[in-house]
Amino acid sequence: MPFATTHTVSLQGSVGHLIEVQADVSQGIVGMTVVGRPDATLNEARDRVRMAIANSMLAWPATRRVTILLAPADLPKSGTHFDLAMAVAIKAADGLVPTSALEATVFIGELTLSGGLRSVPGVLPMVMAAAQRGVGRVFVPEPQVREAALVPGMEVFGVRSLAQVISVLSGDDVPEAPPVAPMSGARLLSWRGQHERSQVDMADLEGMLEAKYAVEVAAAGGHHLLLSGPKGAGKTTLAERIPSVLPDLTAEEALELTAIHSLAGALEPGDDLMRRPPYFAPHHDASKASLLGGGTGRVRPGAVSRAHCGVLFLDEFPLFRTDVVEALREPLEGGQVTIARGEELATFPARGMVVLAANPCPCGDYSPSAPANKCTCFDPVRRAYRQKLTGPIADRIDILRHVEPEPRHAGADKFAVRERSDQILRRVALARERQAERYAGRGFRLNSQVPGHLLESEWPLAPEARSRLDKELYEGRLTRRGAVRVHRLALTVSDLRGLEHPGFDEVMAALHLRTGEPLEIASLGRAG
């Protein structure tokens, strides 16, 4: 029968769709047609596939017309990874491969003119999507075998050439083939922001008790954090140590994060699951595409998505471009980024902690509490500089903490109360375990991700605490969005204290964290 169907996967952002590659080889004008909304790279596949088959010593169907349909036909498709599935479908339709060997199998790989295979980005999310749809076997370029094998229960074949794939499917001896060429650009994109706990420690910092507690709450509940203060106060030093108090990722989180980095082309051959929360600190001159995602050609995830389940640190935040600042609204609020470009719509997860740091003015010396204010900025300049920290962005930040430089004479007294990162980490891990039990079986894991309507219906505040929060709303000191974020913060404070429900004290602590007011650290208490 001059007809056969293979399968591959098409990605729209981080979402994979199983694609049927249907090949028909029949009498007609000699040629090859690809239909089903292919883009330019897929139209070029006609020449790649034809020459790969010919140079693999596999006869091209003579005096035949080849038609390839990529179904569903209404879904836009792009990428060079369709090549292998198209070539196998053609040879199966030509009778060289038994159609029974194609069942529950996905083919992923770009073909060279010689018939060899090249690595492609996004193998892990493609294999994850295939597994979710009942596929049990996948063929991938040899260097990406380990990446594909990260998906539990998947049978993975690593191959070097089209001829090897045809031989495996036909049950023949597998011929030798040159090694697969590495993916172009992978080395440039391979930095993943992995942060080792052993490199830095919270004990390196003197004092800063309120700021450290704010970091602990943010880490425990996954809350966004703004650190403000004059230059040299320790904002960047504190932010760099946040990964040291974050626990290792769960298996599900590690798979999600590794899949995102696979989409970015940042995985090297042999890389394992990313078990540690990532840490990214892009320069304030970063473009919107590099931070949010996009770029020319294929849409790639940006830094905010590559920091999924980790920390995105934006130092000198007022210096970021206005369009970048405004574009942060979606990931700060919804935990994802959606990029629309023509007919292409790509969505990437972005549920990491966003940590902002800002000086009070361009010179960085303004400090109302300092005995001698060294700031040389005029008031209008200072107000314009701080404008980006107000309005919609500020309303989406959970915790505000002002940091002042620690006096030199206080060093000896502060040293005795320094806590190591591993001590804070134990409390953070316990708080996250409580959240995991509370939200088991739901689509969210941390307090910062709980939808507002569920907070009121399933985890309401005590009457006294609710009245205090309503008073802040009535007097205009909180917006509705701000009240929801205070409720989430109160849950995290109570988790750190080992309580079942937040009470009045926890809500007051959450209000102070939200507004930047001074905290009574000793009165809060901590579990563990």
Side-chain angles (χ1 to χ4, degrees), residues 141-160:
E142 187 181 56
Q144 297 179 295
V145 168
R146 188 167 182 178
E147 180 181 343
L150 294 174
V151 179
M154 182 63 69
E155 183 182 8
V156 181
F157 289 84
V159 288
R160 295 182 175 183

Side-chain angles (χ1 to χ4, degrees), residues 416-446:
V417 295
R418 293 188 197 178
E419 276 193 304
R420 301 187 310 274
S421 289
D422 62 324
Q423 295 174 291
I424 301 174
L425 172 62
R426 280 196 292 272
R427 294 195 296 267
V428 170
L430 284 172
R432 290 203 171 194
E433 287 175 10
R434 294 186 180 99
Q435 293 168 65
E437 293 176 4
R438 183 187 304 137
Y439 307 132
R442 300 177 181 265
F444 44 87
R445 308 183 186 103
L446 299 175

Side-chain angles (χ1 to χ4, degrees), residues 281-287 291 313-321 324 388:
H283 189 263
H284 57 73
D285 198 34
S287 67
L291 194 63
F313 178 48
L314 303 181
D315 203 1
E316 304 290 352
F317 183 69
L319 297 181
F320 279 82
R321 289 166 27 187
V324 173
K388 291 180 181 178

